Amino acid sequence: MHDMIKLQHLLHGADYNPEQWLKYPEILSEDLRLMALAGVNVVSVGIFSWASIEPEQGRYTFDWLDCVMDGLHSIGVKAFLATPSSQRPNWVSDKYPEVFRMDERRVRNLHGMRACSCFTSPVYRQLVANINRKLAERYAKHPALMLWHISNEYGLDCHCPLCQSAFQSWLKERYDHNLEKLNDAWWTPFWSHTYTDWRQIESPSPQGEFGSQALALDWKRFVTKQMVSFMKNEIAAVREFSRDVPVTTNLMGTFGGLDYWKFAPEVDVISWDSYPQWHGRGEFDRSGPFGASNYNRDTEGRDWALAADVAFVHDLMRSLKDGQPFLLMESTPSVNCSWVQKQKRPGMHLLSSLQAIAHGSDSVMYFQWRKGRGGIEKFHGAVIDHFASTENRTFRDVAEVGQALKMLAPAAGTRIDAEVAILYDWENRWGIDAACDPRRDGKTDYEQTVRNHYRPFWRMGIACDIVNEDADFAKYKLLVAPMLYMVRPGVGERIEAFVRNGGVLVATYWSGIADESDLCFLNGFPGPLRQTLGLRSEELDALYEGDQNAIVIQPNNPLGLAGEYPARLFCDVIHPEGAETLANYRDDYYAGRAALTCNRFGVGLAYYIAAQSDERFHLDFYSALARELHLKRALETEIPEGVSITRRSDGESDFIFVMNFKPITQSLKLPQPCRNLLGESVVDGTLILGAYGVSVLTTGRE
Ligand code: GLA
């Protein structure tokens, strides 16, 4: 946690929307009583309160918020005070038409919903800065204030004329005011798209330019830059009155529209909103009325596989600020706006909440504290139901988490030490998505591919950081970089140095294809990685779903692998140029050709997995590598499928989270006696975890 906060304990709380209840004073005082019973010590207030604190321009009604802040303080609950920019009041729309977002079809949104403002509009920036200043001026010194919650889930891009002209200006800077440079980088002679004036450049649109992949990439970079600059504008206004209170903004995990690596340096603490669909059946691939999100379900409906995917995002969030603890800002205490609102089965709430802590969060927070009586989210899970009984299962589950977090207080601020880095890079993802080859059916799924390579480490209890291409790789033993399609300038050289100096790299098919402008490398794929990997890729064969090929492991290979594994969807036909072949293809015109290679380079090793394989292959391959490299595990024991183990530590005390994501009892052997922090008992020999059970063990002084 950022040292501005210096947490002595873990945080437990929720989004709190008292502005919806101002006509129900008895409910507001009841809220305070219930917060204490639920073990809540923090709430996020004011996220959607703009209309309630500035009902008309220049008239402020802070009295109700004063009461709320004072009330929270009276019971020792802290506030994350939000800036309200994510939805503007009606009067703003009435007066200032330029603030309306325009979508990619160049259609202006009407007033309504939320997150529908233009982030370039100087008027909108001004109005937001103004309300932020007022809030900061009034509450900077309030004893309940703990953190500024800047906006809410920045997301949608805007294509209005103001954004178009800001985009053109940004491009001028990027290409040194030299249009020829842009034309070269974007390969515009293709289909006679050469620009002769900066004003001809427009953002991608389904009715216009949607074929220029370089344009699509630069647009996404611009949108990230513009959103970050909007956020900085918000923060600067707050900082005029509130210098030492930390700031955060709640991120959306692996949301595809923004590069969160660019947000991280501008906030003091990373926070994110996590909504996995537990107990799903896999057939629903949309998360709800607010759009698709694919980290929140497992296609085969396995809770434990979904848990691994969620763990990946927690690890990403922790890694965004170099391992500093993050905040789980929102999660649901029961259900969210999914297509099927299946309730969490007993145990799952505590388990999934502690999973965030296990991966480096210092909080468990919910959307939301109390269900509203009306509106689109009135059936969304909340700590307090329409009938506000403390006997409700959800309330009891939440109170149980509150208790557990108290017992785990010493874990606050502890860190996770990782020897493995998994490379996940937003620009690379944009490059792959824009290219949409070698399959045009969405199966070139970069995010899922990265998670597939992460999962074996999750299963083995080996900690991973998630890094992007700009990271310092040198501190890791192993760098896993699946589908590194885009290699930005200097990255190939840094990966090469990492391996030369003793690092181990794992790369796959569809790597080293294009540069940061999506221009293909001309010196043979995998471009800048060719020498490090010791091979050349000649052609990538994309297979149909039912097509079968196999990777046949060579006998006596150094990793001790044996047998056959499936090769499916992508088979790279390669020429080893110094790399040793560990496995070959079984069938087709490339039967007998290399399918898995290892290149000795300097004092390091570079593996290349030429074909997409399955979970069994990943587990066997990475288990062998983990053995070879003596990678540290959270606990030296055999881990049953579905159980995950992580370790947080402050150097003196260790907190070992053992989590069972299967609906059956499972057990494992402990290498030494441990104290169970949740049960205050000593566990010796075998640890038994019930269905969706979790234990937190300590071996240190705590
Ligand atoms: C997001 C928002 C919340 C709420 C939840 C519902 O995370 O930040 O305001 O709408 O979704 O799941």
Side-chain angles (χ1 to χ4, degrees), residues 133-171:
R133 256 185 230 113
K134 290 282 174 199
L135 276 165
E137 187 177 13
R138 192 162 187 103
Y139 298 108
K141 300 285 174 240
H142 196 287
L145 177 65
M146 185 180 206
L147 176 110
W148 289 103
H149 181 300
I150 304 295
S151 201
N152 192 63
E153 297 188 337
Y154 287 117
L156 295 180
D157 59 359
C158 171
H159 298 253
C160 77
L162 292 169
C163 289
Q164 301 295 348
S165 111
F167 180 43
Q168 290 157 5
S169 305
W170 178 81
L171 288 170

Tab-separated table of all heavy atoms in Angstrom, residues 133-171:
chain	number	residue	atom	x	y	z
A	133	ARG	N	-12.550	20.513	-7.167
A	133	ARG	CA	-11.949	21.523	-6.269
A	133	ARG	C	-12.858	21.769	-5.082
A	133	ARG	O	-12.413	21.825	-3.940
A	133	ARG	CB	-11.779	22.833	-7.037
A	133	ARG	CG	-10.366	23.076	-7.447
A	133	ARG	CD	-10.237	24.445	-8.098
A	133	ARG	NE	-9.533	24.261	-9.339
A	133	ARG	CZ	-10.030	24.428	-10.550
A	133	ARG	NH1	-11.263	24.866	-10.722
A	133	ARG	NH2	-9.301	24.186	-11.614
A	134	LYS	N	-14.143	21.912	-5.362
A	134	LYS	CA	-15.107	22.173	-4.282
A	134	LYS	C	-15.096	21.033	-3.274
A	134	LYS	O	-15.121	21.245	-2.058
A	134	LYS	CB	-16.529	22.325	-4.860
A	134	LYS	CG	-16.718	23.570	-5.652
A	134	LYS	CD	-16.912	24.761	-4.716
A	134	LYS	CE	-16.954	26.047	-5.516
A	134	LYS	NZ	-16.693	27.243	-4.716
A	135	LEU	N	-15.082	19.817	-3.796
A	135	LEU	CA	-15.076	18.639	-2.903
A	135	LEU	C	-13.805	18.619	-2.061
A	135	LEU	O	-13.841	18.398	-0.849
A	135	LEU	CB	-15.144	17.348	-3.730
A	135	LEU	CG	-16.525	16.875	-4.161
A	135	LEU	CD1	-16.391	15.822	-5.247
A	135	LEU	CD2	-17.297	16.312	-2.975
A	136	ALA	N	-12.685	18.864	-2.735
A	136	ALA	CA	-11.404	18.788	-2.028
A	136	ALA	C	-11.301	19.890	-0.987
A	136	ALA	O	-10.829	19.679	0.133
A	136	ALA	CB	-10.265	18.878	-3.033
A	137	GLU	N	-11.767	21.071	-1.360
A	137	GLU	CA	-11.711	22.199	-0.431
A	137	GLU	C	-12.511	21.874	0.831
A	137	GLU	O	-12.078	22.124	1.952
A	137	GLU	CB	-12.306	23.425	-1.129
A	137	GLU	CG	-12.170	24.704	-0.354
A	137	GLU	CD	-12.732	25.889	-1.151
A	137	GLU	OE1	-13.430	25.660	-2.170
A	137	GLU	OE2	-12.456	27.027	-0.749
A	138	ARG	N	-13.656	21.266	0.633
A	138	ARG	CA	-14.543	21.016	1.766
A	138	ARG	C	-14.089	19.833	2.622
A	138	ARG	O	-14.247	19.833	3.835
A	138	ARG	CB	-15.956	20.753	1.245
A	138	ARG	CG	-16.984	20.772	2.360
A	138	ARG	CD	-18.368	20.960	1.786
A	138	ARG	NE	-19.337	21.146	2.847
A	138	ARG	CZ	-19.844	22.323	3.181
A	138	ARG	NH1	-19.475	23.417	2.556
A	138	ARG	NH2	-20.744	22.391	4.152
A	139	TYR	N	-13.549	18.798	1.983
A	139	TYR	CA	-13.318	17.557	2.751
A	139	TYR	C	-11.847	17.183	2.936
A	139	TYR	O	-11.565	16.163	3.574
A	139	TYR	CB	-14.079	16.391	2.092
A	139	TYR	CG	-15.573	16.626	2.097
A	139	TYR	CD1	-16.250	16.942	0.922
A	139	TYR	CD2	-16.300	16.575	3.290
A	139	TYR	CE1	-17.616	17.189	0.930
A	139	TYR	CE2	-17.668	16.823	3.301
A	139	TYR	CZ	-18.322	17.140	2.115
A	139	TYR	OH	-19.666	17.390	2.147
A	140	ALA	N	-10.944	18.005	2.420
A	140	ALA	CA	-9.517	17.637	2.501
A	140	ALA	C	-9.102	17.293	3.927
A	140	ALA	O	-8.313	16.374	4.153
A	140	ALA	CB	-8.656	18.766	1.962
A	141	LYS	N	-9.624	18.044	4.872
A	141	LYS	CA	-9.179	17.835	6.261
A	141	LYS	C	-10.178	17.001	7.057
A	141	LYS	O	-10.058	16.889	8.279
A	141	LYS	CB	-9.004	19.197	6.959
A	141	LYS	CG	-7.994	20.101	6.290
A	141	LYS	CD	-6.564	19.637	6.587
A	141	LYS	CE	-5.561	20.455	5.792
A	141	LYS	NZ	-4.736	19.717	4.890
A	142	HIS	N	-11.193	16.482	6.385
A	142	HIS	CA	-12.187	15.716	7.154
A	142	HIS	C	-11.544	14.434	7.692
A	142	HIS	O	-10.878	13.701	6.951
A	142	HIS	CB	-13.397	15.371	6.283
A	142	HIS	CG	-14.576	14.943	7.095
A	142	HIS	ND1	-14.638	13.722	7.717
A	142	HIS	CD2	-15.712	15.598	7.447
A	142	HIS	CE1	-15.780	13.628	8.391
A	142	HIS	NE2	-16.449	14.754	8.247
A	143	PRO	N	-11.743	14.138	8.980
A	143	PRO	CA	-11.055	12.978	9.556
A	143	PRO	C	-11.476	11.636	8.958
A	143	PRO	O	-10.738	10.650	9.092
A	143	PRO	CB	-11.420	13.049	11.044
A	143	PRO	CG	-12.629	13.923	11.124
A	143	PRO	CD	-12.535	14.883	9.975
A	144	ALA	N	-12.635	11.600	8.290
A	144	ALA	CA	-13.050	10.311	7.698
A	144	ALA	C	-12.353	10.058	6.356
A	144	ALA	O	-12.277	8.917	5.893
A	144	ALA	CB	-14.562	10.288	7.492
A	145	LEU	N	-11.834	11.109	5.742
A	145	LEU	CA	-11.292	10.947	4.383
A	145	LEU	C	-9.991	10.138	4.390
A	145	LEU	O	-9.042	10.466	5.092
A	145	LEU	CB	-11.026	12.335	3.767
A	145	LEU	CG	-10.392	12.307	2.375
A	145	LEU	CD1	-11.329	11.688	1.346
A	145	LEU	CD2	-9.995	13.723	1.937
A	146	MET	N	-9.967	9.093	3.569
A	146	MET	CA	-8.769	8.243	3.509
A	146	MET	C	-8.119	8.266	2.129
A	146	MET	O	-6.906	8.128	1.996
A	146	MET	CB	-9.187	6.809	3.829
A	146	MET	CG	-8.040	5.848	3.921
A	146	MET	SD	-8.660	4.211	4.302
A	146	MET	CE	-7.229	3.525	5.083
A	147	LEU	N	-8.936	8.395	1.102
A	147	LEU	CA	-8.419	8.244	-0.257
A	147	LEU	C	-9.382	8.918	-1.236
A	147	LEU	O	-10.596	8.929	-0.994
A	147	LEU	CB	-8.343	6.740	-0.549
A	147	LEU	CG	-7.938	6.273	-1.915
A	147	LEU	CD1	-6.549	5.632	-1.831
A	147	LEU	CD2	-8.877	5.205	-2.440
A	148	TRP	N	-8.835	9.469	-2.313
A	148	TRP	CA	-9.678	10.012	-3.392
A	148	TRP	C	-9.906	8.923	-4.432
A	148	TRP	O	-8.953	8.342	-4.951
A	148	TRP	CB	-9.022	11.231	-4.035
A	148	TRP	CG	-9.040	12.424	-3.126
A	148	TRP	CD1	-7.998	12.920	-2.399
A	148	TRP	CD2	-10.168	13.260	-2.841
A	148	TRP	NE1	-8.397	14.013	-1.672
A	148	TRP	CE2	-9.739	14.252	-1.917
A	148	TRP	CE3	-11.511	13.275	-3.247
A	148	TRP	CZ2	-10.585	15.239	-1.415
A	148	TRP	CZ3	-12.349	14.262	-2.755
A	148	TRP	CH2	-11.891	15.226	-1.849
A	149	HIS	N	-11.169	8.685	-4.716
A	149	HIS	CA	-11.593	7.686	-5.711
A	149	HIS	C	-11.896	8.499	-6.966
A	149	HIS	O	-12.944	9.114	-7.073
A	149	HIS	CB	-12.846	7.021	-5.134
A	149	HIS	CG	-13.487	5.947	-5.942
A	149	HIS	ND1	-13.986	6.139	-7.207
A	149	HIS	CD2	-13.760	4.657	-5.631
A	149	HIS	CE1	-14.533	5.004	-7.635
A	149	HIS	NE2	-14.409	4.087	-6.701
A	150	ILE	N	-10.943	8.563	-7.874
A	150	ILE	CA	-11.085	9.454	-9.026
A	150	ILE	C	-11.977	8.796	-10.088
A	150	ILE	O	-11.651	7.743	-10.628
A	150	ILE	CB	-9.702	9.805	-9.638
A	150	ILE	CG1	-8.771	10.426	-8.577
A	150	ILE	CG2	-9.864	10.736	-10.837
A	150	ILE	CD1	-9.202	11.772	-8.029
A	151	SER	N	-13.131	9.424	-10.320
A	151	SER	CA	-14.098	8.989	-11.323
A	151	SER	C	-14.561	7.547	-11.064
A	151	SER	O	-14.482	7.055	-9.918
A	151	SER	CB	-13.533	9.148	-12.736
A	151	SER	OG	-14.586	9.193	-13.666
A	152	ASN	N	-15.004	6.885	-12.087
A	152	ASN	CA	-15.402	5.491	-11.955
A	152	ASN	C	-15.219	4.785	-13.284
A	152	ASN	O	-15.823	5.176	-14.288
A	152	ASN	CB	-16.879	5.388	-11.539
A	152	ASN	CG	-17.258	3.994	-11.112
A	152	ASN	OD1	-16.738	3.469	-10.136
A	152	ASN	ND2	-18.167	3.362	-11.853
A	153	GLU	N	-14.361	3.799	-13.302
A	153	GLU	CA	-14.189	2.951	-14.492
A	153	GLU	C	-14.115	3.750	-15.794
A	153	GLU	O	-14.977	3.620	-16.666
A	153	GLU	CB	-15.305	1.912	-14.570
A	153	GLU	CG	-15.294	0.957	-13.399
A	153	GLU	CD	-16.267	-0.206	-13.545
A	153	GLU	OE1	-17.234	-0.080	-14.309
A	153	GLU	OE2	-16.048	-1.236	-12.895
A	154	TYR	N	-13.057	4.562	-15.919
A	154	TYR	CA	-12.832	5.239	-17.199
A	154	TYR	C	-12.916	4.196	-18.308
A	154	TYR	O	-12.380	3.095	-18.169
A	154	TYR	CB	-11.422	5.843	-17.244
A	154	TYR	CG	-11.227	7.065	-16.377
A	154	TYR	CD1	-10.332	7.045	-15.321
A	154	TYR	CD2	-11.919	8.238	-16.648
A	154	TYR	CE1	-10.125	8.181	-14.542
A	154	TYR	CE2	-11.713	9.370	-15.873
A	154	TYR	CZ	-10.821	9.340	-14.824
A	154	TYR	OH	-10.618	10.457	-14.062
A	155	GLY	N	-13.570	4.566	-19.411
A	155	GLY	CA	-13.705	3.509	-20.425
A	155	GLY	C	-13.898	3.972	-21.844
A	155	GLY	O	-12.966	3.948	-22.638
A	156	LEU	N	-15.092	4.475	-22.173
A	156	LEU	CA	-15.448	4.614	-23.583
A	156	LEU	C	-14.727	5.770	-24.286
A	156	LEU	O	-14.619	6.872	-23.752
A	156	LEU	CB	-16.961	4.838	-23.700
A	156	LEU	CG	-17.826	3.659	-23.244
A	156	LEU	CD1	-19.299	4.005	-23.403
A	156	LEU	CD2	-17.466	2.407	-24.043
A	157	ASP	N	-14.285	5.492	-25.501
A	157	ASP	CA	-13.647	6.542	-26.291
A	157	ASP	C	-14.720	7.443	-26.911
A	157	ASP	O	-15.898	7.098	-26.957
A	157	ASP	CB	-12.744	5.939	-27.382
A	157	ASP	CG	-13.497	5.026	-28.333
A	157	ASP	OD1	-14.725	4.829	-28.153
A	157	ASP	OD2	-12.869	4.486	-29.264
A	158	CYS	N	-14.294	8.606	-27.366
A	158	CYS	CA	-15.218	9.569	-27.976
A	158	CYS	C	-14.639	9.980	-29.327
A	158	CYS	O	-13.427	10.170	-29.456
A	158	CYS	CB	-15.367	10.770	-27.053
A	158	CYS	SG	-16.276	12.136	-27.808
A	159	HIS	N	-15.503	10.082	-30.330
A	159	HIS	CA	-15.051	10.379	-31.702
A	159	HIS	C	-15.554	11.739	-32.191
A	159	HIS	O	-15.687	11.945	-33.397
A	159	HIS	CB	-15.537	9.279	-32.657
A	159	HIS	CG	-14.998	7.907	-32.345
A	159	HIS	ND1	-14.046	7.287	-33.106
A	159	HIS	CD2	-15.281	7.053	-31.338
A	159	HIS	CE1	-13.763	6.091	-32.596
A	159	HIS	NE2	-14.507	5.927	-31.515
A	160	CYS	N	-15.839	12.643	-31.288
A	160	CYS	CA	-16.416	13.940	-31.679
A	160	CYS	C	-15.360	14.810	-32.379
A	160	CYS	O	-14.166	14.493	-32.352
A	160	CYS	CB	-16.978	14.645	-30.449
A	160	CYS	SG	-15.698	15.392	-29.425
A	161	PRO	N	-15.772	15.912	-32.979
A	161	PRO	CA	-14.800	16.775	-33.680
A	161	PRO	C	-13.665	17.248	-32.774
A	161	PRO	O	-12.515	17.357	-33.226
A	161	PRO	CB	-15.663	17.952	-34.155
A	161	PRO	CG	-17.042	17.390	-34.277
A	161	PRO	CD	-17.171	16.350	-33.209
A	162	LEU	N	-13.954	17.502	-31.498
A	162	LEU	CA	-12.880	17.933	-30.592
A	162	LEU	C	-11.836	16.829	-30.447
A	162	LEU	O	-10.628	17.087	-30.404
A	162	LEU	CB	-13.463	18.260	-29.204
A	162	LEU	CG	-14.362	19.493	-29.121
A	162	LEU	CD1	-15.085	19.542	-27.777
A	162	LEU	CD2	-13.519	20.760	-29.322
A	163	CYS	N	-12.320	15.587	-30.342
A	163	CYS	CA	-11.394	14.452	-30.202
A	163	CYS	C	-10.612	14.245	-31.497
A	163	CYS	O	-9.419	13.921	-31.472
A	163	CYS	CB	-12.152	13.182	-29.814
A	163	CYS	SG	-12.757	13.249	-28.110
A	164	GLN	N	-11.288	14.440	-32.647
A	164	GLN	CA	-10.587	14.276	-33.937
A	164	GLN	C	-9.428	15.268	-34.034
A	164	GLN	O	-8.318	14.915	-34.436
A	164	GLN	CB	-11.537	14.498	-35.127
A	164	GLN	CG	-12.736	13.568	-35.181
A	164	GLN	CD	-12.383	12.099	-35.390
A	164	GLN	OE1	-11.249	11.760	-35.723
A	164	GLN	NE2	-13.353	11.221	-35.150
A	165	SER	N	-9.714	16.499	-33.630
A	165	SER	CA	-8.636	17.477	-33.798
A	165	SER	C	-7.527	17.251	-32.766
A	165	SER	O	-6.342	17.431	-33.068
A	165	SER	CB	-9.239	18.882	-33.851
A	165	SER	OG	-8.916	19.609	-32.757
A	166	ALA	N	-7.894	16.791	-31.555
A	166	ALA	CA	-6.853	16.454	-30.565
A	166	ALA	C	-6.020	15.265	-31.064
A	166	ALA	O	-4.801	15.210	-30.865
A	166	ALA	CB	-7.491	16.132	-29.225
A	167	PHE	N	-6.681	14.340	-31.737
A	167	PHE	CA	-5.979	13.170	-32.286
A	167	PHE	C	-4.970	13.624	-33.342
A	167	PHE	O	-3.801	13.218	-33.343
A	167	PHE	CB	-7.020	12.211	-32.876
A	167	PHE	CG	-6.469	10.950	-33.483
A	167	PHE	CD1	-5.459	10.221	-32.850
A	167	PHE	CD2	-6.978	10.453	-34.692
A	167	PHE	CE1	-4.959	9.039	-33.412
A	167	PHE	CE2	-6.487	9.280	-35.256
A	167	PHE	CZ	-5.471	8.577	-34.623
A	168	GLN	N	-5.415	14.520	-34.217
A	168	GLN	CA	-4.503	15.021	-35.264
A	168	GLN	C	-3.295	15.730	-34.637
A	168	GLN	O	-2.162	15.532	-35.070
A	168	GLN	CB	-5.260	15.959	-36.205
A	168	GLN	CG	-6.266	15.219	-37.090
A	168	GLN	CD	-7.391	16.101	-37.604
A	168	GLN	OE1	-7.394	17.318	-37.385
A	168	GLN	NE2	-8.372	15.497	-38.275
A	169	SER	N	-3.548	16.519	-33.598
A	169	SER	CA	-2.422	17.214	-32.948
A	169	SER	C	-1.461	16.216	-32.316
A	169	SER	O	-0.240	16.369	-32.384
A	169	SER	CB	-2.915	18.151	-31.845
A	169	SER	OG	-3.849	19.021	-32.347
A	170	TRP	N	-2.048	15.199	-31.683
A	170	TRP	CA	-1.205	14.180	-31.045
A	170	TRP	C	-0.360	13.453	-32.103
A	170	TRP	O	0.833	13.187	-31.897
A	170	TRP	CB	-2.107	13.200	-30.281
A	170	TRP	CG	-1.371	12.080	-29.631
A	170	TRP	CD1	-0.702	12.124	-28.440
A	170	TRP	CD2	-1.219	10.745	-30.135
A	170	TRP	NE1	-0.152	10.892	-28.164
A	170	TRP	CE2	-0.448	10.032	-29.181
A	170	TRP	CE3	-1.651	10.074	-31.278
A	170	TRP	CZ2	-0.107	8.690	-29.347
A	170	TRP	CZ3	-1.320	8.741	-31.441
A	170	TRP	CH2	-0.549	8.060	-30.490
A	171	LEU	N	-0.971	13.193	-33.264
A	171	LEU	CA	-0.227	12.515	-34.338
A	171	LEU	C	0.914	13.398	-34.856
A	171	LEU	O	2.006	12.909	-35.152
A	171	LEU	CB	-1.177	12.145	-35.487
A	171	LEU	CG	-2.153	11.002	-35.181
A	171	LEU	CD1	-3.198	10.881	-36.296
A	171	LEU	CD2	-1.415	9.663	-35.022
